[in-house]
Every structure is written in C-alpha cells, then in structure tokens.
Amino acid sequence: MSDTLQLACELIRRDSVTPRDQGCQELMIDRLEAIGFRVERMRFGEVDNFWARRGDAGPVFCFAGHTDVVPTGPLTQWDSPPFEPTVRNGLLYGRGAADMKASLAAFVTACERFVAKCPDHAGSIALLITSDEEGVATDGTVKVVEALAARGELIDYCIVGEPTSEQVLGDTVKNGRRGSLSGHLVVHGIQGHIAYPQLAKNPIHLIAPALAELAATEWDQGNAYFPPTSWQVSNIQAGTGATNVIPGHCDVHFNFRFSPECTAEALKERVYQILDTHGLSYELHWLLSGQPFLTPPGDLTAALGDAIHYVAGAEANLSTSGGTSDGRFIKRIARELVEFGPVNATIHKLNECVDVEAIEPLADIYALTLEKLLPAA
Ligand SMILES: [Zn+2]
C-alpha cells in the first residue's frame, strides 16, 4: 500500500463529522513536525484548526483544507461502513475519501517528498487546516485568516485541496468562485375574505409582476471567467391553507450567484429599485455568504498546469463553477489561489469514493508544483 493511500485510510477511519476533527489533525501534525514544520494549533470555540509553516522567507506556498466531513446518511445504505476505509474494484470507499481526506494525505506526503529532495528549498511551505468547512464555517478558516492577517502573515500561492476534477484527475482547476447573496423578502398585504377583495390587498398579486421583472433582469454579462450573474427564487410561501382567504403577507427567499462584474451593494440597490417601482410594502433581509474572487492565469496556474500535464497527462481547464469553499476567506490574504483535488462525482453522497490509482499522482502533482514554485535555494 502506498504511503499516501495508507494515510488517507487512517484519516477516513476517524469519524470526523463536522465540526469534529477526531484526531485527524494530530495525525497530520506528527508527520509535519517530523520534517521541520512549526505548528500552531488554533482552537476557536469547539473547532480545531492549525497553521503549520516550514521556513521564514517568502514566497509562502500554502496547502489549505478541512478534516471534517458531512454526515453519512443512513448507514444501511452504504455498501461498506463509511468510517472503515475499503478498497473495492480499484476504488477507496469511505466518508471523506474524495472530500477531502485523499487530498490531506497527499498534502502531507507531497511535503515529505519535496523536503527530502530539497531540504533547503526557497521560501516557505505552509498548511492551513480546519475542521469547520462543511458546517457553519464560523470558527474555522475565517478565524485563522483573521489571526494571520492581524499579524501581517500573507500567502503568495495557495492550493485548496477541494475535489475539483470532473471526469479524470487533473481535468479541472478552479481559479475563482462566484459570490453568494441571499435575500428574504416579506411582502405585506391585507388579509380578507376572498369574496370581498375590495376590503383586502393580495400580496401574491402584488409581488407577481415584480418577480417577473426580477427574473427577466440581466444583472451583468459575466466575463471571460464567470457566467452571467444569476438570480433565483428558492421558496415562496403565502396563504393560510383555506381557499376563501386572501393572505396577509407573502414570503419570498431568493439567492444571487454573482460574478465580479457586480457588487453585492449594487445588486441590492437594483432589487430595491424594482420593488419600489411596483409600489410594494415590504421588509427585506440580506445575507452575504461569499464575495466572488478570481485568480487570473499566472505563476501558480502555470506551475500547477505543468505538473498536472507531466504527472497525469491531462490538460487542466480553469473554471469558476460550483458552490462556495473556504477559498473565499483565504483569498483575502493570498495573492494567487486555486482549488485542485480528485474527482468530485461522489462527494456528499452515499458510498463516497476516490480512484485508488489517482491518489499517488495527486501527491506527485502537489510535490511537483512545490518544486516549480519553491526551487532549491
Ligand atoms: Zn470539501
């Protein structure tokens, strides 16, 4: 069994359902300290995090990731127990196999290989690891980044080990993510008997034309890296259940996935304008859960792309699709940040798995990227 596969199995064996770490981080820390990393444990609330660094000089190259996993769902529907790593037909099964314990194991073995080959490498290698990514993400990466920012510790290159590959290892690297802005709108009407509409005010009828306008609005046209900003309604609720009552209010939940061509403030402004032109009486509460970010092609995308091509023979496509990740927090202190990891087809599903044959190449790609960006001094 290869050393990366073995470490991935040891990590999967720990049932680190978010936000619990269950000893995964100590396993990584032992290995990192043995090759000269200085490790700072950063516990916030109930959440374990650590920052590890080898070297004092710049540039700083950081691997970032999470040890927590999503809940298993019904155990009886797994073909093998989710926290017993099992290899069947060339696939390693277990909760977190793809998201993202194979990547964590590959971070560690990549560092071990690189340090053995270039003990006096240029710059610094760092790891930023949390156990609060899959949950509320309030005491995890965001807090570590705040602490690093407060003391002026910056990152030049960061690879977040999220599973980004789609068909085969190396086909997709994420070089940015869209922003996410949610709204909860309550439209006020006047409740009344459906037979006496002149005595009531129907909030569903009032909001319908405004929703049509919002749905038809072009917010921007995106750009070379981002699709156009999209506005979608996720829930609408109104009515008492009775068929003879005009409801008193209507609740609408919506979400923007937005490109850097828009700002959250500008989007809010345009929503208020549309609602106001329809003369609505309403309340609107906003939640901004992530700003968009982009790393244009540069040293990091070039080094990683070359490493992927050399090790896996794949041509990495740069993409900004998909949901949010901790990259949104780290970008604040990182000059160039991308996400790259194994195939994501089974993440968060029953029988999550990763191709065993992709695990060593993943570690080789990470190690070769280090070699390119932190050459021997
Ligand atoms: Zn993940």
Side-chain angles (χ1 to χ4, degrees):
M1 199 188 266
S2 80
D3 54 350
T4 312
L5 174 59
Q6 197 170 340
L7 180 54
C9 290
E10 286 178 47
L11 291 167
I12 293 169
R13 208 165 277 129
R14 287 164 169 74
D15 56 342
S16 55
V17 174
T18 189
R20 298 188 310 160
D21 168 71
Q22 298 292 85
C24 293
Q25 292 181 15
E26 289 303 321
L27 207 55
M28 297 176 71
I29 286 170
D30 280 350
R31 301 272 288 252
L32 293 169
E33 284 182 335
I35 52 169
F37 278 81
R38 297 187 309 274
V39 177
E40 228 177 300
R41 293 169 181 81
M42 294 189 181
R43 190 173 163 87
F44 297 108
E46 299 292 294
V47 173
D48 288 313
N49 308 281
F50 77 83
W51 169 251
R53 181 162 171 169
R54 184 181 198 277
D56 296 304
V60 178
F61 181 108
C62 176
F63 289 116
H66 60 89
T67 53
D68 57 326
V69 298
V70 293
T72 59
L75 291 176
T76 52
Q77 290 181 31
W78 283 72
D79 294 334
S80 52
F83 299 111
E84 243 169 61
T86 307
V87 176
R88 281 195 307 278
N89 303 322
L91 298 170
L92 168 63
Y93 286 88
R95 173 56 85 222
D99 186 7
M100 53 179 282
K101 290 179 169 176
S103 303
L104 296 177
F107 288 168
V108 171
T109 58
C111 289
E112 288 171 344
R113 283 170 208 179
F114 174 64
V115 167
K117 190 168 170 185
C118 304
D120 301 316
H121 57 80
S124 302
I125 320 169
L127 280 89
L128 193 174
I129 305 295
T130 183
S131 63
D132 182 25
E133 197 271 347
E134 300 287 11
V136 289
T138 51
D139 284 326
T141 299
V142 67
K143 289 271 172 68
V144 178
V145 166
E146 272 169 25
L148 295 174
R151 65 188 194 212
E153 198 155 353
L154 301 176
I155 295 167
D156 294 280
Y157 310 112
C158 180
I159 294 182
V160 184
E162 289 296 341
T164 55
S165 298
E166 290 174 3
Q167 310 290 330
V168 294
L169 179 69
D171 63 4
T172 307
V173 168
K174 302 259 159 113
N175 66 326
R177 295 276 188 162
R178 292 180 291 177
S180 176
L181 173 67
S182 297
H184 174 201
L185 172 67
V186 182
V187 179
H188 300 296
I190 296 172
Q191 185 174 325
H193 195 296
I194 214 150
Y196 299 92
Q198 70 278 16
L199 301 179
K201 214 169 158 188
N202 191 323
I204 302 175
H205 295 194
L206 294 170
I207 189 62
L211 289 185
E213 188 173 339
L214 287 162
T217 295
E218 183 185 81
W219 307 93
D220 62 38
Q221 298 185 325
N223 60 31
Y225 301 102
F226 287 84
T229 292
S230 133
W231 179 86
Q232 297 292 320
V233 174
S234 59
N235 292 276
I236 298 187
Q237 276 129 8
T240 59
T243 54
N244 60 354
V245 179
I246 291 171
H249 59 90
C250 176
D251 274 59
V252 180
H253 290 262
F254 61 81
N255 176 266
F256 280 106
R257 290 298 157 113
F258 65 103
S259 83
E261 298 293 310
C262 281
T263 64
E265 285 316 308
L267 291 171
K268 288 180 187 177
E269 219 26 68
R270 288 175 72 184
V271 170
Y272 285 124
Q273 258 174 30
I274 291 170
L275 296 175
D276 291 340
T277 53
H278 288 269
L280 301 174
S281 157
Y282 63 89
E283 287 159 52
L284 179 47
H285 301 282
W286 298 96
L287 179 69
L288 176 64
S289 48
Q291 293 281 5
F293 66 88
L294 175 71
T295 296
D299 293 342
L300 177 57
T301 57
L304 178 59
D306 286 353
I308 287 170
H309 185 80
Y310 182 81
V311 173
E315 294 300 329
N317 176 37
L318 294 178
S319 159
T320 61
S321 65
T324 60
S325 80
D326 274 356
R328 68 195 147 139
F329 303 126
I330 304 169
K331 188 67 176 78
R332 188 179 145 204
I333 57 164
R335 199 155 52 81
E336 296 182 35
L337 179 145
V338 297
E339 300 174 22
F340 173 63
V343 170
N344 56 25
T346 61
I347 60 173
H348 295 208
K349 293 185 178 177
L350 298 165
N351 296 312
E352 178 178 349
C353 61
V354 66
D355 183 358
V356 170
E357 301 255 285
I359 292 178
E360 276 319 310
L362 180 61
D364 288 338
I365 291 168
Y366 289 152
L368 189 51
T369 308
L370 275 174
E371 258 182 68
K372 288 174 185 289
L373 292 171
L374 305 181

Short mmCIF file of all heavy atoms in Angstrom, two decimals, residues 66 68 99-100 133-134 162-163 348, ligand 1:
data_model
loop_
_atom_site.label_atom_id
_atom_site.label_comp_id
_atom_site.label_asym_id
_atom_site.label_seq_id
_atom_site.Cartn_x
_atom_site.Cartn_y
_atom_site.Cartn_z
N HIS A 66 -9.77 20.89 4.83
CA HIS A 66 -10.59 20.60 6.01
C HIS A 66 -10.60 19.11 6.33
O HIS A 66 -10.65 18.28 5.43
CB HIS A 66 -12.02 21.11 5.83
CG HIS A 66 -12.75 20.52 4.66
ND1 HIS A 66 -13.49 19.36 4.76
CD2 HIS A 66 -12.88 20.92 3.37
CE1 HIS A 66 -14.04 19.09 3.59
NE2 HIS A 66 -13.68 20.01 2.71
N ASP A 68 -13.00 17.90 8.48
CA ASP A 68 -14.38 17.49 8.78
C ASP A 68 -15.06 16.96 7.51
O ASP A 68 -14.65 17.27 6.39
CB ASP A 68 -15.19 18.65 9.39
CG ASP A 68 -15.24 19.90 8.51
OD1 ASP A 68 -14.24 20.18 7.82
OD2 ASP A 68 -16.28 20.58 8.51
N ASP A 99 -13.69 14.09 -0.43
CA ASP A 99 -13.88 15.45 0.10
C ASP A 99 -13.58 15.45 1.59
O ASP A 99 -14.49 15.34 2.38
CB ASP A 99 -15.32 15.90 -0.20
CG ASP A 99 -15.58 17.34 0.19
OD1 ASP A 99 -14.62 18.04 0.56
OD2 ASP A 99 -16.74 17.77 0.13
N MET A 100 -12.32 15.66 2.02
CA MET A 100 -11.15 15.75 1.18
C MET A 100 -9.95 15.08 1.83
O MET A 100 -8.86 15.63 1.90
CB MET A 100 -10.87 17.21 0.81
CG MET A 100 -10.77 18.14 2.02
SD MET A 100 -10.39 19.83 1.49
CE MET A 100 -8.62 19.61 1.19
N GLU A 133 -15.50 23.30 7.85
CA GLU A 133 -15.75 23.78 6.50
C GLU A 133 -17.13 23.35 6.04
O GLU A 133 -17.83 24.10 5.38
CB GLU A 133 -14.69 23.25 5.54
CG GLU A 133 -14.62 24.01 4.21
CD GLU A 133 -15.54 23.48 3.13
OE1 GLU A 133 -16.08 22.36 3.27
OE2 GLU A 133 -15.75 24.17 2.13
N GLU A 134 -17.51 22.13 6.40
CA GLU A 134 -18.77 21.57 5.91
C GLU A 134 -19.97 22.08 6.70
O GLU A 134 -21.10 21.90 6.28
CB GLU A 134 -18.74 20.03 5.99
CG GLU A 134 -17.62 19.39 5.15
CD GLU A 134 -17.89 19.44 3.65
OE1 GLU A 134 -18.83 20.15 3.23
OE2 GLU A 134 -17.15 18.77 2.92
N GLU A 162 -9.84 21.01 -2.47
CA GLU A 162 -11.21 20.55 -2.76
C GLU A 162 -11.22 19.67 -4.00
O GLU A 162 -10.45 19.89 -4.94
CB GLU A 162 -12.14 21.75 -2.99
CG GLU A 162 -12.45 22.56 -1.74
CD GLU A 162 -13.22 21.78 -0.69
OE1 GLU A 162 -13.84 20.74 -1.02
OE2 GLU A 162 -13.18 22.20 0.48
N PRO A 163 -12.10 18.68 -4.02
CA PRO A 163 -12.18 17.80 -5.20
C PRO A 163 -12.78 18.56 -6.38
O PRO A 163 -13.99 18.79 -6.42
CB PRO A 163 -13.10 16.66 -4.73
CG PRO A 163 -13.88 17.22 -3.58
CD PRO A 163 -13.03 18.29 -2.96
N HIS A 348 -20.31 13.99 -0.85
CA HIS A 348 -21.52 14.19 -0.05
C HIS A 348 -22.57 13.10 -0.31
O HIS A 348 -23.69 13.19 0.19
CB HIS A 348 -22.14 15.59 -0.28
CG HIS A 348 -21.26 16.73 0.18
ND1 HIS A 348 -21.77 17.93 0.59
CD2 HIS A 348 -19.92 16.83 0.32
CE1 HIS A 348 -20.77 18.74 0.94
NE2 HIS A 348 -19.63 18.08 0.77
ZN ZN B 1 -14.66 19.93 0.84
#
